[in-house]
Amino acid sequence: MGLFEQSQIPLNAAIKAMKLDPNAAAIIEQPERTLEVHIPVRMDDGTTQVFTGYRCQHSTVMGPAKGGVRYHQNVNMDEVKTLAFWMTCKCAVAGLPYGGGKGGVIVDVTKLSERELEALTRGYIDKIAPFIGEKLDIPAPDMNTNAKIMGWMMDEFSKIKGRFEPGFITGKDLSMGGSLGRTAATGRGVVTAAIEALKVRKIKAKGATCVVQGFGNVGSWTAKLAHDAGLKVIAISDVFGAIYSEKGINPYKLSEYVATSPQHSVKGFKGTKEITNADLLAIQADVLFPCAMEGQITKANAAGVKASIICEGANGPTTPDADEILKEHDVLVVPDILANGGGVTVSYFEWVQNLYRYFWTEEEVIEKQTDMMVKAFKEVYELSQEYKVTMRVAAYISALKRIAVAMKFRGMY
Ligand code: GLU
């Protein structure tokens, strides 16, 4: 089963539980527009390589499409469509005035020079420029893209349009209209969601143990902010391997180590022992934070999860089969479309600040973000109680309730 087909399983469970009008369901089940582009890039050795990219606007019912751009060798149309669908639902759960979109380019960024990466980024924007804009579709960072790449995108788009329109993209550097608090925002929201989940499970955050899979932007900030909130981070992994320490790992010191270590990996960090990624997922801890990528907790390893709570920093880390097993084992899963909505929430704040040309303090951003996350968590948790469904299905119910009303008033069904 492909990723998009899999992603429809909890959606369909929500449609059934809430008895959504089948006409509304039929609209939400398909993306509005999907674009495939081919981007020629003159490489440093003089040859020309043609890269394939995508942009999918899953829904614009609630507002402009919104979502990041991913650079990865395994990007494909099915994945981009799925990620765009998750953005539609994520924005609706968070109560943002956005639809959902996502972009991706098939590329192994480790194989490109800085100049080639810039040329590819500008080429991608040239190809999708007619379809994006601050009132149409607003890109942002995702896996392997960052503020530097957003800067090139912003510059290229400004040249094409011949005007300054910073609200067309979020996750920018502060110097060009970025928002304070954006870099850490996804991790911050993940930790806020975990603290709410710990309350549900009646576990004190202070001294609660946690495990973080992934040490990119989301994983590293989740680890740091969990540590700041008093949780003990006992294991962390990255693409190269995983480390464990019963005494706890200081994620700030680990970040410094990763920046200076030759492989830029968590492996070999002082005071930790090396474990496998499989060991990491099976550690006895209060919270497991999957912050790497899709399809990590599966039918094959879900029964081995000993955490009380799974709080999903990544998009789609748990497969539908695994969800069934986790439910039987009474693991509380805080789903991606709720837990990792902090990133797009602060992207929304960035867009608002761009439209106003007026900027907020970091404290204001954090306060507003935390309020929105706590509110969304409570709404989803209450729906899960009301409909007697998992928090994942409840999150889709929350999203569908908002989207269906807007579709009705637009006269779409
Ligand atoms: N890529 C992030 C996500 O998956 C952020 C998207 C955004 O800020 O638009 O939620």
Side-chain angles (χ1 to χ4, degrees), residues 33 44 51 54 60 70 136 154 163 170 177 184 209 211 235 242 256-257 277 279 291 330 340 369 375 380 395 404 411:
R33 180 190 273 157
D44 292 347
F51 293 86
Y54 306 97
T60 55
R70 170 173 296 197
L136 180 60
M154 155 93 190
R163 59 174 184 256
T170 60
T209 51
V211 167
E256 282 167 26
Y257 168 78
N277 184 50
D279 297 335
C291 299
D330 194 33
N340 71 32
Q369 181 193 342
K375 185 167 169 271
V380 171

mmCIF file of all heavy atoms in Angstrom, residues 33 44 51 54 60 70 136 154 163 170 177 184 209 211 235 242 256-257 277 279 291 330 340 369 375 380 395 404 411:
data_model
loop_
_atom_site.group_PDB
_atom_site.id
_atom_site.type_symbol
_atom_site.label_atom_id
_atom_site.label_comp_id
_atom_site.label_asym_id
_atom_site.label_seq_id
_atom_site.Cartn_x
_atom_site.Cartn_y
_atom_site.Cartn_z
ATOM 1 N N ARG A 33 -4.522 20.144 -6.637
ATOM 2 C CA ARG A 33 -3.608 20.383 -7.760
ATOM 3 C C ARG A 33 -2.233 19.821 -7.444
ATOM 4 O O ARG A 33 -1.697 20.047 -6.366
ATOM 5 C CB ARG A 33 -3.488 21.895 -7.965
ATOM 6 C CG ARG A 33 -2.573 22.307 -9.091
ATOM 7 C CD ARG A 33 -2.324 23.801 -9.051
ATOM 8 N NE ARG A 33 -3.311 24.590 -9.750
ATOM 9 C CZ ARG A 33 -3.542 25.874 -9.488
ATOM 10 N NH1 ARG A 33 -2.887 26.500 -8.528
ATOM 11 N NH2 ARG A 33 -4.447 26.548 -10.170
ATOM 12 N N ASP A 44 29.015 21.738 -11.352
ATOM 13 C CA ASP A 44 30.365 22.305 -11.283
ATOM 14 C C ASP A 44 31.315 21.696 -12.323
ATOM 15 O O ASP A 44 32.255 22.338 -12.762
ATOM 16 C CB ASP A 44 30.956 22.090 -9.876
ATOM 17 C CG ASP A 44 30.224 22.930 -8.827
ATOM 18 O OD1 ASP A 44 29.462 23.835 -9.223
ATOM 19 O OD2 ASP A 44 30.406 22.673 -7.620
ATOM 20 N N PHE A 51 16.881 17.729 -12.555
ATOM 21 C CA PHE A 51 16.265 17.235 -11.319
ATOM 22 C C PHE A 51 14.744 17.283 -11.441
ATOM 23 O O PHE A 51 14.204 18.141 -12.137
ATOM 24 C CB PHE A 51 16.700 18.095 -10.122
ATOM 25 C CG PHE A 51 18.163 17.971 -9.800
ATOM 26 C CD1 PHE A 51 19.104 18.767 -10.445
ATOM 27 C CD2 PHE A 51 18.611 17.038 -8.869
ATOM 28 C CE1 PHE A 51 20.455 18.652 -10.156
ATOM 29 C CE2 PHE A 51 19.956 16.910 -8.571
ATOM 30 C CZ PHE A 51 20.890 17.716 -9.223
ATOM 31 N N TYR A 54 8.370 18.552 -7.210
ATOM 32 C CA TYR A 54 6.904 18.545 -7.154
ATOM 33 C C TYR A 54 6.402 19.675 -6.259
ATOM 34 O O TYR A 54 7.113 20.135 -5.378
ATOM 35 C CB TYR A 54 6.390 17.232 -6.530
ATOM 36 C CG TYR A 54 6.915 15.992 -7.193
ATOM 37 C CD1 TYR A 54 8.019 15.324 -6.655
ATOM 38 C CD2 TYR A 54 6.326 15.504 -8.353
ATOM 39 C CE1 TYR A 54 8.520 14.185 -7.264
ATOM 40 C CE2 TYR A 54 6.819 14.365 -8.968
ATOM 41 C CZ TYR A 54 7.921 13.710 -8.418
ATOM 42 O OH TYR A 54 8.410 12.588 -9.026
ATOM 43 N N THR A 60 -7.223 24.300 -0.583
ATOM 44 C CA THR A 60 -7.191 25.750 -0.344
ATOM 45 C C THR A 60 -8.556 26.195 0.192
ATOM 46 O O THR A 60 -8.932 27.352 0.047
ATOM 47 C CB THR A 60 -6.847 26.528 -1.642
ATOM 48 O OG1 THR A 60 -7.783 26.144 -2.653
ATOM 49 C CG2 THR A 60 -5.438 26.260 -2.120
ATOM 50 N N ARG A 70 10.732 19.745 0.686
ATOM 51 C CA ARG A 70 11.677 18.726 1.152
ATOM 52 C C ARG A 70 12.693 18.407 0.065
ATOM 53 O O ARG A 70 12.320 18.258 -1.095
ATOM 54 C CB ARG A 70 10.855 17.479 1.503
ATOM 55 C CG ARG A 70 11.641 16.243 1.783
ATOM 56 C CD ARG A 70 10.736 15.130 2.288
ATOM 57 N NE ARG A 70 10.133 15.484 3.570
ATOM 58 C CZ ARG A 70 9.572 14.601 4.398
ATOM 59 N NH1 ARG A 70 9.533 13.325 4.085
ATOM 60 N NH2 ARG A 70 9.048 14.982 5.542
ATOM 61 N N LEU A 136 -1.741 32.492 -2.123
ATOM 62 C CA LEU A 136 -2.008 31.345 -2.999
ATOM 63 C C LEU A 136 -1.429 30.052 -2.434
ATOM 64 O O LEU A 136 -2.152 29.092 -2.176
ATOM 65 C CB LEU A 136 -1.396 31.669 -4.374
ATOM 66 C CG LEU A 136 -1.506 30.674 -5.496
ATOM 67 C CD1 LEU A 136 -2.951 30.403 -5.812
ATOM 68 C CD2 LEU A 136 -0.791 31.223 -6.746
ATOM 69 N N MET A 154 13.313 33.241 -1.694
ATOM 70 C CA MET A 154 12.714 34.580 -1.551
ATOM 71 C C MET A 154 13.324 35.551 -2.571
ATOM 72 O O MET A 154 12.621 36.323 -3.227
ATOM 73 C CB MET A 154 12.987 35.017 -0.106
ATOM 74 C CG MET A 154 13.018 36.452 0.145
ATOM 75 S SD MET A 154 11.406 36.992 0.647
ATOM 76 C CE MET A 154 11.733 38.715 0.543
ATOM 77 N N ARG A 163 8.902 42.535 -7.188
ATOM 78 C CA ARG A 163 8.447 43.227 -5.990
ATOM 79 C C ARG A 163 8.810 42.422 -4.741
ATOM 80 O O ARG A 163 9.085 41.219 -4.829
ATOM 81 C CB ARG A 163 6.940 43.488 -6.035
ATOM 82 C CG ARG A 163 6.107 42.247 -6.171
ATOM 83 C CD ARG A 163 4.625 42.563 -6.069
ATOM 84 N NE ARG A 163 3.864 41.333 -6.123
ATOM 85 C CZ ARG A 163 3.187 40.922 -7.197
ATOM 86 N NH1 ARG A 163 3.171 41.648 -8.294
ATOM 87 N NH2 ARG A 163 2.522 39.782 -7.162
ATOM 88 N N THR A 170 7.848 31.212 4.400
ATOM 89 C CA THR A 170 8.155 31.354 5.830
ATOM 90 C C THR A 170 9.369 30.487 6.185
ATOM 91 O O THR A 170 9.829 29.686 5.368
ATOM 92 C CB THR A 170 6.951 30.955 6.704
ATOM 93 O OG1 THR A 170 6.630 29.589 6.431
ATOM 94 C CG2 THR A 170 5.740 31.831 6.427
ATOM 95 N N GLY A 177 12.781 39.185 7.326
ATOM 96 C CA GLY A 177 11.363 39.048 7.673
ATOM 97 C C GLY A 177 10.992 37.769 8.385
ATOM 98 O O GLY A 177 9.819 37.474 8.558
ATOM 99 N N ALA A 184 13.029 27.003 16.485
ATOM 100 C CA ALA A 184 12.756 26.015 17.535
ATOM 101 C C ALA A 184 11.283 25.618 17.597
ATOM 102 O O ALA A 184 10.905 24.754 18.392
ATOM 103 C CB ALA A 184 13.191 26.582 18.884
ATOM 104 N N THR A 209 11.193 10.295 31.836
ATOM 105 C CA THR A 209 12.255 9.926 30.897
ATOM 106 C C THR A 209 11.741 9.989 29.462
ATOM 107 O O THR A 209 10.562 9.743 29.197
ATOM 108 C CB THR A 209 12.756 8.493 31.178
ATOM 109 O OG1 THR A 209 11.620 7.632 31.241
ATOM 110 C CG2 THR A 209 13.530 8.432 32.482
ATOM 111 N N VAL A 211 12.931 9.541 25.016
ATOM 112 C CA VAL A 211 13.827 9.059 23.972
ATOM 113 C C VAL A 211 13.503 9.849 22.707
ATOM 114 O O VAL A 211 12.326 10.041 22.401
ATOM 115 C CB VAL A 211 13.547 7.551 23.745
ATOM 116 C CG1 VAL A 211 14.187 7.052 22.483
ATOM 117 C CG2 VAL A 211 13.979 6.738 24.960
ATOM 118 N N ALA A 235 18.010 8.707 25.486
ATOM 119 C CA ALA A 235 18.562 8.164 24.234
ATOM 120 C C ALA A 235 18.204 9.081 23.071
ATOM 121 O O ALA A 235 17.141 9.704 23.062
ATOM 122 C CB ALA A 235 18.030 6.763 23.977
ATOM 123 N N ALA A 242 22.639 5.416 17.191
ATOM 124 C CA ALA A 242 21.915 5.907 18.372
ATOM 125 C C ALA A 242 22.797 5.798 19.612
ATOM 126 O O ALA A 242 23.692 4.951 19.681
ATOM 127 C CB ALA A 242 20.643 5.090 18.553
ATOM 128 N N GLU A 256 26.704 20.733 20.338
ATOM 129 C CA GLU A 256 28.071 21.261 20.148
ATOM 130 C C GLU A 256 28.988 20.155 19.644
ATOM 131 O O GLU A 256 29.805 20.360 18.743
ATOM 132 C CB GLU A 256 28.635 21.777 21.485
ATOM 133 C CG GLU A 256 28.097 23.137 21.871
ATOM 134 C CD GLU A 256 28.410 23.482 23.330
ATOM 135 O OE1 GLU A 256 29.397 22.960 23.896
ATOM 136 O OE2 GLU A 256 27.626 24.263 23.913
ATOM 137 N N TYR A 257 28.824 18.967 20.235
ATOM 138 C CA TYR A 257 29.652 17.819 19.841
ATOM 139 C C TYR A 257 29.393 17.461 18.362
ATOM 140 O O TYR A 257 30.328 17.274 17.588
ATOM 141 C CB TYR A 257 29.356 16.624 20.752
ATOM 142 C CG TYR A 257 29.938 15.335 20.266
ATOM 143 C CD1 TYR A 257 31.301 15.049 20.450
ATOM 144 C CD2 TYR A 257 29.154 14.396 19.586
ATOM 145 C CE1 TYR A 257 31.854 13.870 19.973
ATOM 146 C CE2 TYR A 257 29.698 13.220 19.113
ATOM 147 C CZ TYR A 257 31.041 12.954 19.303
ATOM 148 O OH TYR A 257 31.582 11.790 18.818
ATOM 149 N N ASN A 277 19.118 1.566 16.328
ATOM 150 C CA ASN A 277 17.860 2.287 16.186
ATOM 151 C C ASN A 277 16.696 1.419 16.690
ATOM 152 O O ASN A 277 15.759 1.926 17.308
ATOM 153 C CB ASN A 277 17.679 2.663 14.714
ATOM 154 C CG ASN A 277 16.453 3.507 14.497
ATOM 155 O OD1 ASN A 277 16.234 4.497 15.186
ATOM 156 N ND2 ASN A 277 15.615 3.092 13.556
ATOM 157 N N ASP A 279 16.902 -0.851 19.106
ATOM 158 C CA ASP A 279 16.958 -0.798 20.585
ATOM 159 C C ASP A 279 16.290 0.480 21.079
ATOM 160 O O ASP A 279 15.551 0.477 22.060
ATOM 161 C CB ASP A 279 18.409 -0.737 21.108
ATOM 162 C CG ASP A 279 19.224 -1.963 20.750
ATOM 163 O OD1 ASP A 279 18.619 -3.020 20.543
ATOM 164 O OD2 ASP A 279 20.473 -1.841 20.683
ATOM 165 N N CYS A 291 11.155 11.725 15.710
ATOM 166 C CA CYS A 291 11.354 13.027 15.041
ATOM 167 C C CYS A 291 12.211 12.867 13.793
ATOM 168 O O CYS A 291 12.959 13.775 13.420
ATOM 169 C CB CYS A 291 12.029 14.016 15.996
ATOM 170 S SG CYS A 291 11.066 14.364 17.479
ATOM 171 N N ASP A 330 -2.218 0.074 24.881
ATOM 172 C CA ASP A 330 -2.548 1.275 25.655
ATOM 173 C C ASP A 330 -1.444 2.342 25.631
ATOM 174 O O ASP A 330 -1.182 3.011 26.642
ATOM 175 C CB ASP A 330 -2.884 0.867 27.114
ATOM 176 C CG ASP A 330 -3.545 2.010 27.862
ATOM 177 O OD1 ASP A 330 -4.279 2.781 27.219
ATOM 178 O OD2 ASP A 330 -3.299 2.145 29.080
ATOM 179 N N ASN A 340 3.141 18.098 15.841
ATOM 180 C CA ASN A 340 4.192 18.894 15.186
ATOM 181 C C ASN A 340 3.640 20.153 14.500
ATOM 182 O O ASN A 340 4.326 20.771 13.685
ATOM 183 C CB ASN A 340 5.064 18.025 14.271
ATOM 184 C CG ASN A 340 4.362 17.571 13.012
ATOM 185 O OD1 ASN A 340 3.501 18.259 12.460
ATOM 186 N ND2 ASN A 340 4.725 16.400 12.526
ATOM 187 N N GLN A 369 2.063 30.746 20.680
ATOM 188 C CA GLN A 369 2.210 29.376 20.174
ATOM 189 C C GLN A 369 1.753 28.361 21.225
ATOM 190 O O GLN A 369 1.012 27.421 20.919
ATOM 191 C CB GLN A 369 3.676 29.104 19.800
ATOM 192 C CG GLN A 369 3.831 27.689 19.261
ATOM 193 C CD GLN A 369 5.259 27.199 19.138
ATOM 194 O OE1 GLN A 369 6.213 27.982 19.141
ATOM 195 N NE2 GLN A 369 5.414 25.902 19.025
ATOM 196 N N LYS A 375 -4.612 24.544 23.514
ATOM 197 C CA LYS A 375 -6.020 24.554 23.121
ATOM 198 C C LYS A 375 -6.312 23.408 22.130
ATOM 199 O O LYS A 375 -7.284 22.669 22.299
ATOM 200 C CB LYS A 375 -6.337 25.921 22.484
ATOM 201 C CG LYS A 375 -7.771 26.128 22.144
ATOM 202 C CD LYS A 375 -8.033 27.610 21.833
ATOM 203 C CE LYS A 375 -9.410 27.796 21.238
ATOM 204 N NZ LYS A 375 -9.434 27.669 19.765
ATOM 205 N N VAL A 380 -8.625 18.060 20.819
ATOM 206 C CA VAL A 380 -8.465 16.713 20.255
ATOM 207 C C VAL A 380 -8.675 15.658 21.341
ATOM 208 O O VAL A 380 -9.354 14.652 21.116
ATOM 209 C CB VAL A 380 -7.078 16.573 19.578
ATOM 210 C CG1 VAL A 380 -6.802 15.128 19.196
ATOM 211 C CG2 VAL A 380 -6.986 17.479 18.360
ATOM 212 N N ALA A 395 -8.016 13.773 15.982
ATOM 213 C CA ALA A 395 -7.392 14.937 15.329
ATOM 214 C C ALA A 395 -8.000 15.137 13.934
ATOM 215 O O ALA A 395 -8.261 16.262 13.510
ATOM 216 C CB ALA A 395 -5.877 14.752 15.247
ATOM 217 N N ALA A 404 -15.158 20.927 6.750
ATOM 218 C CA ALA A 404 -16.492 20.630 6.191
ATOM 219 C C ALA A 404 -17.409 21.846 6.283
ATOM 220 O O ALA A 404 -18.172 22.125 5.351
ATOM 221 C CB ALA A 404 -17.101 19.430 6.897
ATOM 222 N N GLY A 411 -20.323 26.504 -0.646
ATOM 223 C CA GLY A 411 -21.235 25.879 -1.615
ATOM 224 C C GLY A 411 -20.599 24.742 -2.377
ATOM 225 O O GLY A 411 -20.987 24.426 -3.503
#
